[in-house]
Amino acid sequence: MPDPPLGPLKAGPLLGEQGDHDAFIWAYTPSEVPLTLTVFGSNGTIVNSQTLTPRSQNAHCVIFHVGGLEMFGTYEYKLASALGETPRFKLRRPPPPHGTRVRILFGSCIRKPEDTFNILRKMADEGADLMMFVGDNTYFDLHDDDVVHDADNERLMMGAHIRWRKAPGMREFCGNVSTLAIWDDHDYGRDNSGGDSPTKLEALRCFKRMWAQRHYGLQDEQGIFSTVRCGPVQIFLLDVRFKRLNGKIISDEQMNWLKHQLMATDAPVKLIVSGSQILPELASRDFWECWQHNAPKQFEDLLTFIAEHPINGVILATGDVHLGHLMFSRGARRQDGRRGGDVWELTSSPLTGETEPGAVMHGENRFYDPYMIQEVVEPNYGVIDVNLEREDKEVVLELKSVDGSLVRAEVDLETLRVRPPRPPKVRAFGTGSGHSKAFFFRGNKFVEYDIAARKVISRPILIDSRWPGLNSEFSAGIEFPPGRTFFFRHNGCKVWGMSVAADGKATYISDFWNWPFLYQTGIDAALLWTDGMAYFFKGKNYIKYDLATKRVVGNFPQPIAKWWHDVWPEGIDSAFLGPNGKVFFFRGDEYIQYDIHDDRADGPPKLIANHWPGLTF
């Protein structure tokens, strides 16, 4: 059952965008009886009162703009007319622009508004500062007697919007939590519609009536895009529909606006919100829209711009696909050889309704996507929790259902910054009986090396001749058991067996390796030990892993600096066991020889070129 009428209201209220000293509030009543908003301070005194008359030309929707609010605290408000009055709702002020904490919820795709109550009630318990509806917030395609037709005029569009706004639990949630929105195709026009939609202007008028936001587009560039500051986060609400055409998801004007705004803000976290997914390659399956598929030049341009300028602290929030996804990408490579900060994308979809039957990661027609980390195949909502005082995990990304957390990633804000310059990565791993040999890789070739004799024992050989299809930019390799080799790159690994012609198919790290979550985005180095254990290094930490049971051993991850004495505390390129109880660690143009018995390095780092002859191919 939909939310019943409340006093003078047939839908709403909805607490919309808030600024430092103001707020916007939406309400709907199907009559032209004057409606009064009253705002109360913490001591119960009236701090603002204003009256608006709903008009038929605005479909009886009203939006109050309340000024004169203090930056901190919680107000209350109610609405009244000759037809009755509502109880009081909370108007909790947003985090200040230079605050250190904010909790943001978001979601997309409400195919069945009648099913919203449970998930909205769960979301209401989050104590969030802000909710973002990121597209397909209602569906313009109408179902009458099993016949589907589109809401192709303004009256039908408004009817679809109002039905959604009456969904059970919507009033209690949106009336008390600040709410922002963008649209996607189903609350804009027909399926996959863009800038050529014949009803785009009608859809724009409807959107502006239904949401309580300060800006929609620019004076000379129509659309619904805008930017909003909420505590330590600058939010960029994109319009991926109004000018979507001919290989462009947003117009050149909107792209220029986005770049300018990204550079102008001093917010530690920049949250780019798009109705269409941005990172994944899964759109190559044709029926999913995505920046990388539908607008590859804009996709590359945006990520390159973020890396080059540099724009630090970027997070992506998206919807649309009726699956929940967590995705990860290393930053784009800059002209100076460095990389931009890591980029995380969290997709929440659907809030209600059926999920996509063709799951990407583990569905019947599974698809390897190099950006995909985890997938959720049930209704879900997203959480972006920022706390700058939470060292090394300032940003937490989650997908949740009514039953609890489904996906959780703790992100170190420092990893979202441009990386300092580093020499080229050393790619190597041990091989041979008695830990006597190693493979060293450079470009598209490799050599076999005798560790004890310190000499190359093979000519440079094309990687593809031994491991067909191996990308030469893999991050780590490990041979286990002998004759079976795993190579790791980003979120995936490839395995080759004894037969060169077989295997080598990319799969997700999470399919085989039961590693902590952040290790599923990729590793720096792998070290095979003598007792069936292996050590995997990433950044400042490492894990100990039992290869037989496929489980992390003990309380890991642990800091490298704590247990590997006098080894680099982070950023190890490669490591392997050698003969005579030695371990060799490599980074850039240096190596460290580590004594297992003494449990410490034999000395400071040394130049590879001076002690490993022949590694100049």
Side-chain angles (χ1 to χ4, degrees), residues 357-375:
V360 180
M361 294 183 70
H362 304 110
E364 183 177 346
N365 299 312
R366 68 189 310 275
F367 178 87
Y368 172 69
D369 188 304
Y371 300 97
M372 198 79 61
I373 307 299
Q374 290 194 358
E375 181 174 64

mmCIF file with all atom_site columns, all heavy atoms in Angstrom, residues 357-375:
data_model
loop_
_atom_site.group_PDB
_atom_site.id
_atom_site.type_symbol
_atom_site.label_atom_id
_atom_site.label_alt_id
_atom_site.label_comp_id
_atom_site.label_asym_id
_atom_site.label_entity_id
_atom_site.label_seq_id
_atom_site.pdbx_PDB_ins_code
_atom_site.Cartn_x
_atom_site.Cartn_y
_atom_site.Cartn_z
_atom_site.occupancy
_atom_site.B_iso_or_equiv
_atom_site.pdbx_formal_charge
_atom_site.auth_seq_id
_atom_site.auth_comp_id
_atom_site.auth_asym_id
_atom_site.auth_atom_id
_atom_site.pdbx_PDB_model_num
ATOM 1   N N   . PRO A 1 357 ? 19.270 -11.099 -14.652 1.00 0.00 ? 357 PRO A N   1
ATOM 2   C CA  . PRO A 1 357 ? 19.557 -12.542 -14.614 1.00 0.00 ? 357 PRO A CA  1
ATOM 3   C C   . PRO A 1 357 ? 20.944 -12.901 -15.135 1.00 0.00 ? 357 PRO A C   1
ATOM 4   O O   . PRO A 1 357 ? 21.491 -13.933 -14.773 1.00 0.00 ? 357 PRO A O   1
ATOM 5   C CB  . PRO A 1 357 ? 18.454 -13.134 -15.499 1.00 0.00 ? 357 PRO A CB  1
ATOM 6   C CG  . PRO A 1 357 ? 18.031 -12.003 -16.384 1.00 0.00 ? 357 PRO A CG  1
ATOM 7   C CD  . PRO A 1 357 ? 18.183 -10.761 -15.578 1.00 0.00 ? 357 PRO A CD  1
ATOM 8   N N   . GLY A 1 358 ? 21.530 -12.054 -15.981 1.00 0.00 ? 358 GLY A N   1
ATOM 9   C CA  . GLY A 1 358 ? 22.845 -12.354 -16.530 1.00 0.00 ? 358 GLY A CA  1
ATOM 10  C C   . GLY A 1 358 ? 23.951 -11.765 -15.684 1.00 0.00 ? 358 GLY A C   1
ATOM 11  O O   . GLY A 1 358 ? 24.640 -10.828 -16.098 1.00 0.00 ? 358 GLY A O   1
ATOM 12  N N   . ALA A 1 359 ? 24.127 -12.272 -14.462 1.00 0.00 ? 359 ALA A N   1
ATOM 13  C CA  . ALA A 1 359 ? 25.172 -11.762 -13.583 1.00 0.00 ? 359 ALA A CA  1
ATOM 14  C C   . ALA A 1 359 ? 26.525 -11.822 -14.275 1.00 0.00 ? 359 ALA A C   1
ATOM 15  O O   . ALA A 1 359 ? 26.803 -12.731 -15.056 1.00 0.00 ? 359 ALA A O   1
ATOM 16  C CB  . ALA A 1 359 ? 25.193 -12.563 -12.284 1.00 0.00 ? 359 ALA A CB  1
ATOM 17  N N   . VAL A 1 360 ? 27.372 -10.847 -13.980 1.00 0.00 ? 360 VAL A N   1
ATOM 18  C CA  . VAL A 1 360 ? 28.645 -10.715 -14.690 1.00 0.00 ? 360 VAL A CA  1
ATOM 19  C C   . VAL A 1 360 ? 29.691 -11.677 -14.158 1.00 0.00 ? 360 VAL A C   1
ATOM 20  O O   . VAL A 1 360 ? 30.297 -12.445 -14.911 1.00 0.00 ? 360 VAL A O   1
ATOM 21  C CB  . VAL A 1 360 ? 29.167 -9.264  -14.566 1.00 0.00 ? 360 VAL A CB  1
ATOM 22  C CG1 . VAL A 1 360 ? 30.495 -9.125  -15.294 1.00 0.00 ? 360 VAL A CG1 1
ATOM 23  C CG2 . VAL A 1 360 ? 28.146 -8.290  -15.119 1.00 0.00 ? 360 VAL A CG2 1
ATOM 24  N N   . MET A 1 361 ? 29.923 -11.671 -12.851 1.00 0.00 ? 361 MET A N   1
ATOM 25  C CA  . MET A 1 361 ? 31.048 -12.395 -12.285 1.00 0.00 ? 361 MET A CA  1
ATOM 26  C C   . MET A 1 361 ? 30.812 -13.890 -12.152 1.00 0.00 ? 361 MET A C   1
ATOM 27  O O   . MET A 1 361 ? 31.711 -14.690 -12.382 1.00 0.00 ? 361 MET A O   1
ATOM 28  C CB  . MET A 1 361 ? 31.416 -11.810 -10.921 1.00 0.00 ? 361 MET A CB  1
ATOM 29  C CG  . MET A 1 361 ? 31.946 -10.395 -10.974 1.00 0.00 ? 361 MET A CG  1
ATOM 30  S SD  . MET A 1 361 ? 32.465 -9.767  -9.361  1.00 0.00 ? 361 MET A SD  1
ATOM 31  C CE  . MET A 1 361 ? 33.954 -10.745 -9.043  1.00 0.00 ? 361 MET A CE  1
ATOM 32  N N   . HIS A 1 362 ? 29.605 -14.277 -11.783 1.00 0.00 ? 362 HIS A N   1
ATOM 33  C CA  . HIS A 1 362 ? 29.370 -15.689 -11.490 1.00 0.00 ? 362 HIS A CA  1
ATOM 34  C C   . HIS A 1 362 ? 28.059 -16.189 -12.096 1.00 0.00 ? 362 HIS A C   1
ATOM 35  O O   . HIS A 1 362 ? 27.475 -17.150 -11.618 1.00 0.00 ? 362 HIS A O   1
ATOM 36  C CB  . HIS A 1 362 ? 29.384 -15.934 -9.981  1.00 0.00 ? 362 HIS A CB  1
ATOM 37  C CG  . HIS A 1 362 ? 30.655 -15.479 -9.334  1.00 0.00 ? 362 HIS A CG  1
ATOM 38  N ND1 . HIS A 1 362 ? 30.722 -14.385 -8.502  1.00 0.00 ? 362 HIS A ND1 1
ATOM 39  C CD2 . HIS A 1 362 ? 31.924 -15.947 -9.434  1.00 0.00 ? 362 HIS A CD2 1
ATOM 40  C CE1 . HIS A 1 362 ? 31.974 -14.205 -8.105  1.00 0.00 ? 362 HIS A CE1 1
ATOM 41  N NE2 . HIS A 1 362 ? 32.717 -15.142 -8.654  1.00 0.00 ? 362 HIS A NE2 1
ATOM 42  N N   . GLY A 1 363 ? 27.588 -15.514 -13.133 1.00 0.00 ? 363 GLY A N   1
ATOM 43  C CA  . GLY A 1 363 ? 26.361 -15.939 -13.791 1.00 0.00 ? 363 GLY A CA  1
ATOM 44  C C   . GLY A 1 363 ? 26.605 -17.075 -14.771 1.00 0.00 ? 363 GLY A C   1
ATOM 45  O O   . GLY A 1 363 ? 27.737 -17.547 -14.962 1.00 0.00 ? 363 GLY A O   1
ATOM 46  N N   . GLU A 1 364 ? 25.546 -17.505 -15.390 1.00 0.00 ? 364 GLU A N   1
ATOM 47  C CA  . GLU A 1 364 ? 25.641 -18.622 -16.334 1.00 0.00 ? 364 GLU A CA  1
ATOM 48  C C   . GLU A 1 364 ? 26.587 -18.293 -17.482 1.00 0.00 ? 364 GLU A C   1
ATOM 49  O O   . GLU A 1 364 ? 27.354 -19.134 -17.945 1.00 0.00 ? 364 GLU A O   1
ATOM 50  C CB  . GLU A 1 364 ? 24.246 -18.956 -16.871 1.00 0.00 ? 364 GLU A CB  1
ATOM 51  C CG  . GLU A 1 364 ? 24.221 -20.148 -17.808 1.00 0.00 ? 364 GLU A CG  1
ATOM 52  C CD  . GLU A 1 364 ? 22.816 -20.486 -18.256 1.00 0.00 ? 364 GLU A CD  1
ATOM 53  O OE1 . GLU A 1 364 ? 21.850 -19.970 -17.648 1.00 0.00 ? 364 GLU A OE1 1
ATOM 54  O OE2 . GLU A 1 364 ? 22.677 -21.274 -19.212 1.00 0.00 ? 364 GLU A OE2 1
ATOM 55  N N   . ASN A 1 365 ? 26.517 -17.043 -17.961 1.00 0.00 ? 365 ASN A N   1
ATOM 56  C CA  . ASN A 1 365 ? 27.413 -16.596 -19.030 1.00 0.00 ? 365 ASN A CA  1
ATOM 57  C C   . ASN A 1 365 ? 28.444 -15.637 -18.445 1.00 0.00 ? 365 ASN A C   1
ATOM 58  O O   . ASN A 1 365 ? 28.526 -14.478 -18.818 1.00 0.00 ? 365 ASN A O   1
ATOM 59  C CB  . ASN A 1 365 ? 26.614 -15.925 -20.145 1.00 0.00 ? 365 ASN A CB  1
ATOM 60  C CG  . ASN A 1 365 ? 25.625 -16.861 -20.783 1.00 0.00 ? 365 ASN A CG  1
ATOM 61  O OD1 . ASN A 1 365 ? 25.968 -17.992 -21.134 1.00 0.00 ? 365 ASN A OD1 1
ATOM 62  N ND2 . ASN A 1 365 ? 24.389 -16.421 -20.941 1.00 0.00 ? 365 ASN A ND2 1
ATOM 63  N N   . ARG A 1 366 ? 29.223 -16.124 -17.472 1.00 0.00 ? 366 ARG A N   1
ATOM 64  C CA  . ARG A 1 366 ? 30.147 -15.273 -16.730 1.00 0.00 ? 366 ARG A CA  1
ATOM 65  C C   . ARG A 1 366 ? 31.094 -14.544 -17.674 1.00 0.00 ? 366 ARG A C   1
ATOM 66  O O   . ARG A 1 366 ? 31.455 -15.047 -18.730 1.00 0.00 ? 366 ARG A O   1
ATOM 67  C CB  . ARG A 1 366 ? 30.916 -16.076 -15.695 1.00 0.00 ? 366 ARG A CB  1
ATOM 68  C CG  . ARG A 1 366 ? 31.891 -17.077 -16.253 1.00 0.00 ? 366 ARG A CG  1
ATOM 69  C CD  . ARG A 1 366 ? 32.453 -17.972 -15.153 1.00 0.00 ? 366 ARG A CD  1
ATOM 70  N NE  . ARG A 1 366 ? 32.943 -17.210 -14.023 1.00 0.00 ? 366 ARG A NE  1
ATOM 71  C CZ  . ARG A 1 366 ? 34.158 -16.697 -13.972 1.00 0.00 ? 366 ARG A CZ  1
ATOM 72  N NH1 . ARG A 1 366 ? 34.960 -16.816 -15.015 1.00 0.00 ? 366 ARG A NH1 1
ATOM 73  N NH2 . ARG A 1 366 ? 34.560 -16.054 -12.900 1.00 0.00 ? 366 ARG A NH2 1
ATOM 74  N N   . PHE A 1 367 ? 31.493 -13.354 -17.245 1.00 0.00 ? 367 PHE A N   1
ATOM 75  C CA  . PHE A 1 367 ? 32.281 -12.470 -18.087 1.00 0.00 ? 367 PHE A CA  1
ATOM 76  C C   . PHE A 1 367 ? 33.405 -11.904 -17.234 1.00 0.00 ? 367 PHE A C   1
ATOM 77  O O   . PHE A 1 367 ? 33.157 -11.364 -16.148 1.00 0.00 ? 367 PHE A O   1
ATOM 78  C CB  . PHE A 1 367 ? 31.373 -11.344 -18.602 1.00 0.00 ? 367 PHE A CB  1
ATOM 79  C CG  . PHE A 1 367 ? 32.057 -10.322 -19.464 1.00 0.00 ? 367 PHE A CG  1
ATOM 80  C CD1 . PHE A 1 367 ? 32.178 -10.532 -20.823 1.00 0.00 ? 367 PHE A CD1 1
ATOM 81  C CD2 . PHE A 1 367 ? 32.552 -9.147  -18.924 1.00 0.00 ? 367 PHE A CD2 1
ATOM 82  C CE1 . PHE A 1 367 ? 32.790 -9.579  -21.632 1.00 0.00 ? 367 PHE A CE1 1
ATOM 83  C CE2 . PHE A 1 367 ? 33.162 -8.189  -19.716 1.00 0.00 ? 367 PHE A CE2 1
ATOM 84  C CZ  . PHE A 1 367 ? 33.275 -8.415  -21.077 1.00 0.00 ? 367 PHE A CZ  1
ATOM 85  N N   . TYR A 1 368 ? 34.640 -12.033 -17.681 1.00 0.00 ? 368 TYR A N   1
ATOM 86  C CA  . TYR A 1 368 ? 35.744 -11.463 -16.917 1.00 0.00 ? 368 TYR A CA  1
ATOM 87  C C   . TYR A 1 368 ? 35.877 -9.983  -17.255 1.00 0.00 ? 368 TYR A C   1
ATOM 88  O O   . TYR A 1 368 ? 36.089 -9.611  -18.407 1.00 0.00 ? 368 TYR A O   1
ATOM 89  C CB  . TYR A 1 368 ? 37.061 -12.168 -17.194 1.00 0.00 ? 368 TYR A CB  1
ATOM 90  C CG  . TYR A 1 368 ? 38.225 -11.449 -16.541 1.00 0.00 ? 368 TYR A CG  1
ATOM 91  C CD1 . TYR A 1 368 ? 38.353 -11.432 -15.159 1.00 0.00 ? 368 TYR A CD1 1
ATOM 92  C CD2 . TYR A 1 368 ? 39.133 -10.727 -17.304 1.00 0.00 ? 368 TYR A CD2 1
ATOM 93  C CE1 . TYR A 1 368 ? 39.382 -10.736 -14.541 1.00 0.00 ? 368 TYR A CE1 1
ATOM 94  C CE2 . TYR A 1 368 ? 40.169 -10.034 -16.707 1.00 0.00 ? 368 TYR A CE2 1
ATOM 95  C CZ  . TYR A 1 368 ? 40.277 -10.033 -15.318 1.00 0.00 ? 368 TYR A CZ  1
ATOM 96  O OH  . TYR A 1 368 ? 41.286 -9.322  -14.712 1.00 0.00 ? 368 TYR A OH  1
ATOM 97  N N   . ASP A 1 369 ? 35.745 -9.155  -16.242 1.00 0.00 ? 369 ASP A N   1
ATOM 98  C CA  . ASP A 1 369 ? 35.897 -7.717  -16.397 1.00 0.00 ? 369 ASP A CA  1
ATOM 99  C C   . ASP A 1 369 ? 37.073 -7.282  -15.529 1.00 0.00 ? 369 ASP A C   1
ATOM 100 O O   . ASP A 1 369 ? 37.056 -7.507  -14.313 1.00 0.00 ? 369 ASP A O   1
ATOM 101 C CB  . ASP A 1 369 ? 34.619 -6.996  -15.965 1.00 0.00 ? 369 ASP A CB  1
ATOM 102 C CG  . ASP A 1 369 ? 34.635 -5.519  -16.290 1.00 0.00 ? 369 ASP A CG  1
ATOM 103 O OD1 . ASP A 1 369 ? 35.574 -4.836  -15.848 1.00 0.00 ? 369 ASP A OD1 1
ATOM 104 O OD2 . ASP A 1 369 ? 33.722 -5.044  -16.974 1.00 0.00 ? 369 ASP A OD2 1
ATOM 105 N N   . PRO A 1 370 ? 38.088 -6.654  -16.086 1.00 0.00 ? 370 PRO A N   1
ATOM 106 C CA  . PRO A 1 370 ? 39.298 -6.325  -15.311 1.00 0.00 ? 370 PRO A CA  1
ATOM 107 C C   . PRO A 1 370 ? 39.082 -5.279  -14.229 1.00 0.00 ? 370 PRO A C   1
ATOM 108 O O   . PRO A 1 370 ? 39.996 -5.032  -13.432 1.00 0.00 ? 370 PRO A O   1
ATOM 109 C CB  . PRO A 1 370 ? 40.275 -5.817  -16.379 1.00 0.00 ? 370 PRO A CB  1
ATOM 110 C CG  . PRO A 1 370 ? 39.420 -5.384  -17.515 1.00 0.00 ? 370 PRO A CG  1
ATOM 111 C CD  . PRO A 1 370 ? 38.238 -6.296  -17.503 1.00 0.00 ? 370 PRO A CD  1
ATOM 112 N N   . TYR A 1 371 ? 37.887 -4.659  -14.189 1.00 0.00 ? 371 TYR A N   1
ATOM 113 C CA  . TYR A 1 371 ? 37.619 -3.651  -13.169 1.00 0.00 ? 371 TYR A CA  1
ATOM 114 C C   . TYR A 1 371 ? 36.705 -4.170  -12.055 1.00 0.00 ? 371 TYR A C   1
ATOM 115 O O   . TYR A 1 371 ? 36.546 -3.520  -11.034 1.00 0.00 ? 371 TYR A O   1
ATOM 116 C CB  . TYR A 1 371 ? 36.977 -2.412  -13.811 1.00 0.00 ? 371 TYR A CB  1
ATOM 117 C CG  . TYR A 1 371 ? 37.852 -1.781  -14.861 1.00 0.00 ? 371 TYR A CG  1
ATOM 118 C CD1 . TYR A 1 371 ? 37.671 -2.069  -16.215 1.00 0.00 ? 371 TYR A CD1 1
ATOM 119 C CD2 . TYR A 1 371 ? 38.872 -0.906  -14.515 1.00 0.00 ? 371 TYR A CD2 1
ATOM 120 C CE1 . TYR A 1 371 ? 38.484 -1.495  -17.179 1.00 0.00 ? 371 TYR A CE1 1
ATOM 121 C CE2 . TYR A 1 371 ? 39.690 -0.332  -15.472 1.00 0.00 ? 371 TYR A CE2 1
ATOM 122 C CZ  . TYR A 1 371 ? 39.488 -0.630  -16.808 1.00 0.00 ? 371 TYR A CZ  1
ATOM 123 O OH  . TYR A 1 371 ? 40.305 -0.072  -17.754 1.00 0.00 ? 371 TYR A OH  1
ATOM 124 N N   . MET A 1 372 ? 36.105 -5.313  -12.247 1.00 0.00 ? 372 MET A N   1
ATOM 125 C CA  . MET A 1 372 ? 35.098 -5.822  -11.326 1.00 0.00 ? 372 MET A CA  1
ATOM 126 C C   . MET A 1 372 ? 35.761 -6.522  -10.137 1.00 0.00 ? 372 MET A C   1
ATOM 127 O O   . MET A 1 372 ? 36.624 -7.369  -10.305 1.00 0.00 ? 372 MET A O   1
ATOM 128 C CB  . MET A 1 372 ? 34.187 -6.808  -12.061 1.00 0.00 ? 372 MET A CB  1
ATOM 129 C CG  . MET A 1 372 ? 32.874 -7.086  -11.373 1.00 0.00 ? 372 MET A CG  1
ATOM 130 S SD  . MET A 1 372 ? 31.676 -5.768  -11.636 1.00 0.00 ? 372 MET A SD  1
ATOM 131 C CE  . MET A 1 372 ? 31.500 -5.787  -13.419 1.00 0.00 ? 372 MET A CE  1
ATOM 132 N N   . ILE A 1 373 ? 35.316 -6.163  -8.919  1.00 0.00 ? 373 ILE A N   1
ATOM 133 C CA  . ILE A 1 373 ? 35.864 -6.780  -7.722  1.00 0.00 ? 373 ILE A CA  1
ATOM 134 C C   . ILE A 1 373 ? 34.827 -7.664  -7.038  1.00 0.00 ? 373 ILE A C   1
ATOM 135 O O   . ILE A 1 373 ? 35.092 -8.799  -6.695  1.00 0.00 ? 373 ILE A O   1
ATOM 136 C CB  . ILE A 1 373 ? 36.383 -5.721  -6.726  1.00 0.00 ? 373 ILE A CB  1
ATOM 137 C CG1 . ILE A 1 373 ? 37.363 -4.779  -7.429  1.00 0.00 ? 373 ILE A CG1 1
ATOM 138 C CG2 . ILE A 1 373 ? 37.032 -6.392  -5.523  1.00 0.00 ? 373 ILE A CG2 1
ATOM 139 C CD1 . ILE A 1 373 ? 38.583 -5.450  -7.998  1.00 0.00 ? 373 ILE A CD1 1
ATOM 140 N N   . GLN A 1 374 ? 33.634 -7.136  -6.831  1.00 0.00 ? 374 GLN A N   1
ATOM 141 C CA  . GLN A 1 374 ? 32.569 -7.930  -6.218  1.00 0.00 ? 374 GLN A CA  1
ATOM 142 C C   . GLN A 1 374 ? 31.224 -7.559  -6.847  1.00 0.00 ? 374 GLN A C   1
ATOM 143 O O   . GLN A 1 374 ? 31.052 -6.451  -7.369  1.00 0.00 ? 374 GLN A O   1
ATOM 144 C CB  . GLN A 1 374 ? 32.522 -7.726  -4.708  1.00 0.00 ? 374 GLN A CB  1
ATOM 145 C CG  . GLN A 1 374 ? 33.708 -8.353  -3.983  1.00 0.00 ? 374 GLN A CG  1
ATOM 146 C CD  . GLN A 1 374 ? 33.513 -8.450  -2.486  1.00 0.00 ? 374 GLN A CD  1
ATOM 147 O OE1 . GLN A 1 374 ? 32.506 -8.029  -1.944  1.00 0.00 ? 374 GLN A OE1 1
ATOM 148 N NE2 . GLN A 1 374 ? 34.490 -8.999  -1.805  1.00 0.00 ? 374 GLN A NE2 1
ATOM 149 N N   . GLU A 1 375 ? 30.287 -8.498  -6.762  1.00 0.00 ? 375 GLU A N   1
ATOM 150 C CA  . GLU A 1 375 ? 28.982 -8.334  -7.388  1.00 0.00 ? 375 GLU A CA  1
ATOM 151 C C   . GLU A 1 375 ? 27.893 -8.784  -6.419  1.00 0.00 ? 375 GLU A C   1
ATOM 152 O O   . GLU A 1 375 ? 28.075 -9.737  -5.661  1.00 0.00 ? 375 GLU A O   1
ATOM 153 C CB  . GLU A 1 375 ? 28.923 -9.164  -8.668  1.00 0.00 ? 375 GLU A CB  1
ATOM 154 C CG  . GLU A 1 375 ? 27.613 -9.057  -9.431  1.00 0.00 ? 375 GLU A CG  1
ATOM 155 C CD  . GLU A 1 375 ? 27.694 -9.797  -10.750 1.00 0.00 ? 375 GLU A CD  1
ATOM 156 O OE1 . GLU A 1 375 ? 27.861 -11.044 -10.727 1.00 0.00 ? 375 GLU A OE1 1
ATOM 157 O OE2 . GLU A 1 375 ? 27.617 -9.144  -11.799 1.00 0.00 ? 375 GLU A OE2 1
#
